[in-house]
Amino acid sequence: MFLSLFSFSAWALSPAQYILEKVENQSPSVWDFSDSSENFIPHRVGIKVCKAEKKIITGFYLSQDNLDFYRQKFSDGKRKPMGFEFDIHDLSGVFSRSDLEDVYLHLPHSVWYPDNHSEDEDNLYTVAINDPSKLEKGKWYLVELRFSKHVDVSSATFQVYIQLVGNLRELYYSHHQKWDEYSPAVNTAFIGYFANANVADGNDYFNILTVKDQFTEGDFFQKGDRRLWDYGSGKPKFDFAPYACSFGPDPYESGGSNDGNTPLITSNPDTRDG
């Protein structure tokens, strides 16, 4: 969660950023994970941009290491309320949030939440997952963002960030001893915030680690329209000259290729939100 959650008038921009940076810096100790850990990043991630069909499909695939990370518990036996967010930055303005019509979830609805984007840029889209521990390893989960129109640019740049997020409100109310490990400045700021903000995942999940820049790709619609990343091997794939609006096959599976012959193993499709 970025600065936008502190957009209410009592906070100026600089103090808010100061507090959120403190949360990111202090959280690895508070939440008991290594700040060098990368197991929160899904093993495989990708986006497919369908310009003519006016939609973005984002996908992720979890490994056992990912699931083990999100199944961590505090000493009281309760799961640490951690999740992740994908920020998709449409730097070329192919789409606009004001034209976003529907979100289709190819994953359990209970693990997804609508992000608070009150002051995000109009070309920034977030896919937010509150409990990855409920998902399965070795399966692709897809989210489709469907728009009413697009700008017909010949080439576009998309940027994807992966963020580790934690439910700070739940930490405050259910794990107060851990909460008290944050500095007095963080404690004071969030007590006021919790009193003013409605209870909702989109309001309660915040970055608890510095944001990771997963990739930036500048040749969409020229060289391809799908960008995949296998985090375990560090091998990117940029492929699929536009041919059809589906996420396509998994090129990392044994015998897989980019010709569409190796289907994805996906979750049950088409739960609609909106």
Side-chain angles (χ1 to χ4, degrees), residues 100-119:
L100 180 61
E101 290 189 325
D102 288 300
V103 178
Y104 282 78
L105 307 175
H106 300 246
L107 49 76
H109 192 279
S110 62
V111 306
W112 173 87
Y113 63 90
D115 183 42
N116 183 325
H117 52 75
S118 57
E119 288 193 356

Side-chain angles (χ1 to χ4, degrees), residues 48 57 142 226 240 243-251 260 262-264 266:
K48 161 84 173 182
I57 308 172
L142 308 179
R226 184 180 75 157
F240 286 126
Y243 72 101
C245 193
S246 68
F247 195 71
D250 187 335
T262 307
L264 298 177
T266 61

Side-chain angles (χ1 to χ4, degrees), residues 4-205:
S4 59
L5 290 201
F6 289 95
S7 60
F8 51 85
S9 60
W11 283 52
L13 185 66
S14 295
Q17 185 64 57
Y18 171 78
I19 292 297
L20 294 182
E21 287 179 358
K22 280 188 171 293
V23 170
E24 292 178 4
N25 293 334
Q26 296 171 21
S27 287
S29 174
V30 173
W31 292 72
D32 297 323
F33 63 84
S34 169
D35 58 4
S36 62
S37 175
E38 295 181 336
N39 286 333
F40 74 91
I41 300 173
H43 186 72
R44 295 172 186 165
V45 300
I47 62 171
K48 161 84 173 182
V49 182
C50 304
K51 182 174 60 173
E53 294 85 355
K54 302 183 288 295
K55 64 182 177 180
I56 298 172
I57 308 172
T58 183
F60 63 89
Y61 169 115
L62 302 176
S63 68
Q64 188 61 52
D65 285 343
N66 296 143
L67 292 177
D68 290 344
F69 181 89
Y70 288 109
R71 288 170 179 166
Q72 293 180 78
K73 297 178 180 179
F74 288 121
S75 59
D76 61 5
K78 295 181 181 178
R79 191 188 79 89
K80 300 176 183 179
M82 299 187 297
F84 62 82
E85 295 183 359
F86 283 88
D87 268 358
I88 304 167
H89 200 177
D90 176 5
L91 295 174
S92 303
V94 179
F95 304 109
S96 171
R97 190 196 325 277
S98 57
D99 299 319
L100 180 61
E101 290 189 325
D102 288 300
V103 178
Y104 282 78
L105 307 175
H106 300 246
L107 49 76
H109 192 279
S110 62
V111 306
W112 173 87
Y113 63 90
D115 183 42
N116 183 325
H117 52 75
S118 57
E119 288 193 356
D120 286 348
E121 296 178 42
D122 199 39
N123 304 114
L124 182 68
Y125 315 105
T126 299
V127 173
I129 305 297
N130 59 20
D131 188 355
S133 73
K134 293 180 179 179
L135 303 178
E136 298 179 46
K137 70 174 183 179
K139 178 180 289 186
W140 280 93
Y141 293 94
L142 308 179
V143 177
E144 298 184 22
L145 308 176
R146 303 188 179 186
F147 300 84
S148 61
K149 61 183 179 181
H150 73 284
V151 176
D152 191 16
V153 298
S154 60
S155 180
T157 299
F158 285 82
Q159 190 174 54
V160 172
Y161 293 95
I162 309 295
Q163 305 173 140
L164 176 64
V165 295
N167 188 325
L168 296 191
R169 190 190 298 268
E170 183 175 340
L171 188 73
Y172 176 76
Y173 284 106
S174 299
H175 308 277
H176 203 78
Q177 186 174 0
K178 295 300 299 180
W179 173 264
D180 282 343
E181 295 180 22
Y182 280 117
S183 67
V186 171
N187 209 317
T188 299
F190 272 91
I191 289 173
Y193 173 73
F194 294 147
N196 286 278
N198 293 331
V199 176
D201 284 351
N203 291 337
D204 297 340
Y205 277 84

Side-chain angles (χ1 to χ4, degrees), residues 221-239:
F221 316 132
Q222 290 287 335
K223 295 182 179 179
D225 61 4
R226 184 180 75 157
R227 177 65 149 78
L228 297 173
W229 180 267
D230 182 279
Y231 205 81
S233 66
K235 295 180 179 179
K237 297 279 186 180
F238 188 44
D239 59 6

